[in-house]
Amino acid sequence: MQPLGNKFITIFICALLCGCAELGSNSQESLNDPSGLATSCPQKDRSWTFLFYIVADDGGSSFDASTTRYLNTMPPLPNNVEALVLVDRCSAPLWPISTTTGPVLDSCAQLYQIQRDGSPQLLDTAPYKLSWLQGFEGDLNMGSYETLSQFVLFGLKHTSTTNYGLMIAGHGDGDQVGFDSTNDSSLNHAELEFAFEKALTTLANPCLPKLDLVIMAACAMATTGMYTALAPYARWLIASQENIYGYNLSWMENLGSKEPSGYISKAEVAQALKNGRVEGENGLGQQVTMMLSEEVAQELAALARETGAVLMETDVPRSALEDASFNPKTYDFRLIAEKIQDDVLLSQVDDLMEQTIYEQTELSEGMNGSIEAHGISVTTSDLGLPGSLVF
């Protein structure tokens, strides 16, 4: 087997010099623009827009009764933070949302802008909707790349900040996210790529070549496939290898409060999310912060394919892989590499994990001691394996 890890060192050193200083520092962030266009672009400052894409139309009540109801308890936003929320919940509109004009319950797709005092302002509702929100009786296909792309594009145009973060909230299985039950659809890796590429290409802003941060409030989305799909279009990814139970929205309240300038770094956003969901006696699950690099994405995908090829050659029983996973839909990459018993390949995986995973938080008390997590998972799709006992 030809080792794939020889090229990692140079790539990772360059990536870390560019990226890790950005996450850990509270100094102003400049655009990485080798063309020289950055000289005419506004310097990265403390202003953020957070876009929330909430797929509550999931055939049950989980996201309507959890994530959606948090819109009623939004904290006041810092002066340098904007927030837009797109929620679709046709199949389970259980929880009314208290807006600036009264409660809303019976419209499927709803688009909100969070006001400075934390109250949601309904930007439009069926049947008087923005053109890109038109749908059958107000329903939106949240599992369509077109819907996600149009929302991202709307958010980039509707607000004027220098940092942009997107949170996708819905069910996930590593290969897909955002299951929309009324349209029987979800977003796979290719569709996520299409959505971001179309939004950023249509925007055609050389000062905003990528989103700054993507947050997956969905189970099992810290995978090699997700890393590879997002690397060309985002700088950082926050996700989990295992089951999670959503985020409330109070984590935005104190952003920037620790710095006299109000500066908000990606590290502070990651810490705020961790404080709100992972730590403490009510914490749930795990959170991984990853610096995204297009070069590393290519190496990561190649290493996953090589691992899958070795699995097929050695005929490792699929049942043996399943005990290396704490989420029933994904496999911890490092634990899979251990089972192959190939020292060269395991060394390559270790190098990759060390350099790619910027931070893996401590597991919550409910998870600690029951699972072993190394920061990134693979699915049968990532490994190039045929159908398994899991899927």
Side-chain angles (χ1 to χ4, degrees):
M1 177 177 18
Q2 292 294 323
L4 294 175
N6 294 339
K7 298 185 289 183
F8 286 170
I9 297 177
T10 301
I11 292 172
F12 290 145
I13 290 175
C14 294
L16 286 175
L17 288 175
C18 295
C20 291
E22 176 185 293
L23 185 70
S25 171
N26 281 340
S27 61
Q28 288 190 331
E29 301 173 69
S30 61
L31 291 170
N32 181 19
D33 183 11
S35 68
L37 290 172
T39 56
S40 60
C41 293
Q43 192 173 29
K44 286 283 190 181
D45 60 19
R46 60 185 179 271
S47 60
W48 276 83
T49 292
F50 292 103
L51 307 173
F52 296 90
Y53 189 83
I54 301 176
V55 189
D57 200 0
D58 62 352
S61 61
S62 57
F63 281 91
D64 189 74
S66 59
T67 306
T68 301
R69 69 184 174 89
Y70 288 130
L71 290 172
N72 292 333
T73 57
M74 284 286 288
L77 294 182
N79 290 332
N80 49 341
V81 173
E82 302 286 345
L84 296 173
V85 180
L86 177 63
V87 58
D88 184 52
R89 53 180 190 153
C90 287
S91 63
L94 301 177
W95 203 279
I97 299 172
S98 300
T99 74
T100 55
T101 56
V104 176
L105 177 65
D106 59 357
S107 179
C108 292
Q110 298 155 17
L111 176 65
Y112 297 94
Q113 182 159 12
I114 306 303
Q115 303 302 291
R116 199 56 54 203
D117 63 359
S119 60
Q121 178 185 3
L122 191 63
L123 295 186
D124 64 345
T125 186
Y128 307 105
K129 306 187 75 60
L130 298 173
S131 60
W132 64 271
L133 282 175
Q134 288 289 1
F136 179 71
E137 295 183 352
D139 186 21
L140 272 179
N141 184 356
M142 297 289 275
S144 166
Y145 81 89
E146 287 280 0
T147 305
L148 176 60
S149 181
Q150 293 285 2
F151 175 58
V152 172
L153 181 61
F154 177 80
L156 297 179
K157 288 183 173 181
H158 190 74
T159 60
S160 297
T161 60
T162 64
N163 298 280
Y164 287 86
L166 169 71
M167 177 184 284
I168 298 179
H171 292 296
D173 68 2
D175 285 319
Q176 302 171 89
V177 66
F179 290 85
D180 184 321
S181 62
T182 59
N183 292 282
D184 192 23
S185 64
S186 59
L187 294 158
N188 61 32
H189 295 159
E191 290 169 320
L192 288 168
E193 291 184 64
F194 293 152
F196 293 129
E197 180 181 20
K198 184 172 182 180
L200 292 168
T201 300
T202 303
L203 183 68
N205 183 353
C207 297
L208 189 62
K210 294 184 178 185
L211 296 177
D212 294 278
L213 177 65
V214 174
I215 304 162
M216 287 288 169
C219 296
M221 298 310 294
T223 63
T224 62
M226 181 57 53
Y227 187 107
T228 303
L230 294 185
Y233 311 107
R235 300 181 187 279
W236 295 88
L237 169 64
I238 293 177
S240 176
Q241 286 181 275
E242 43 77 38
N243 290 332
I244 67 169
Y245 300 92
Y247 292 92
N248 65 33
L249 302 176
S250 63
W251 58 271
M252 293 182 291
E253 181 174 13
N254 296 315
L255 292 179
S257 61
K258 296 181 179 180
E259 292 294 321
S261 64
Y263 182 84
I264 301 170
S265 68
K266 294 181 184 68
E268 184 180 357
V269 174
Q271 184 64 45
L273 288 166
K274 184 174 73 169
N275 292 345
R277 187 179 62 83
V278 177
E279 294 185 336
E281 63 182 33
N282 296 320
L284 295 168
Q286 171 225 25
Q287 177 176 295
V288 182
T289 302
M290 287 177 274
M291 179 189 66
L292 300 179
S293 159
E294 295 180 56
E295 294 84 1
V296 171
Q298 294 176 3
E299 300 288 350
L300 181 60
L303 184 55
R305 289 193 297 269
E306 181 176 349
T307 303
V310 174
L311 287 172
M312 295 183 71
E313 289 175 2
T314 56
D315 198 26
V316 176
R318 201 62 52 83
S319 59
L321 304 183
E322 292 174 20
D323 67 10
S325 171
F326 41 83
N327 183 291
K329 298 183 176 69
T330 63
Y331 311 106
D332 185 283
F333 199 1
R334 209 280 175 182
L335 296 181
I336 289 292
E338 283 184 1
K339 288 186 175 294
I340 293 175
Q341 297 183 341
D342 183 314
D343 291 340
V344 174
L345 190 146
L346 182 60
S347 176
Q348 293 172 1
V349 172
D350 282 339
D351 287 343
L352 189 63
M353 296 302 99
E354 181 180 351
Q355 305 299 336
T356 301
I357 308 302
Y358 181 81
E359 178 186 4
Q360 179 187 331
T361 68
E362 293 294 326
L363 295 166
S364 63
E365 293 181 13
M367 294 283 184
N368 195 21
S370 64
I371 61 177
E372 187 174 4
H374 295 91
I376 194 165
S377 299
V378 287
T379 66
T380 52
S381 174
D382 300 329
L383 294 167
L385 298 177
S388 74
L389 299 175
V390 174
F391 290 98

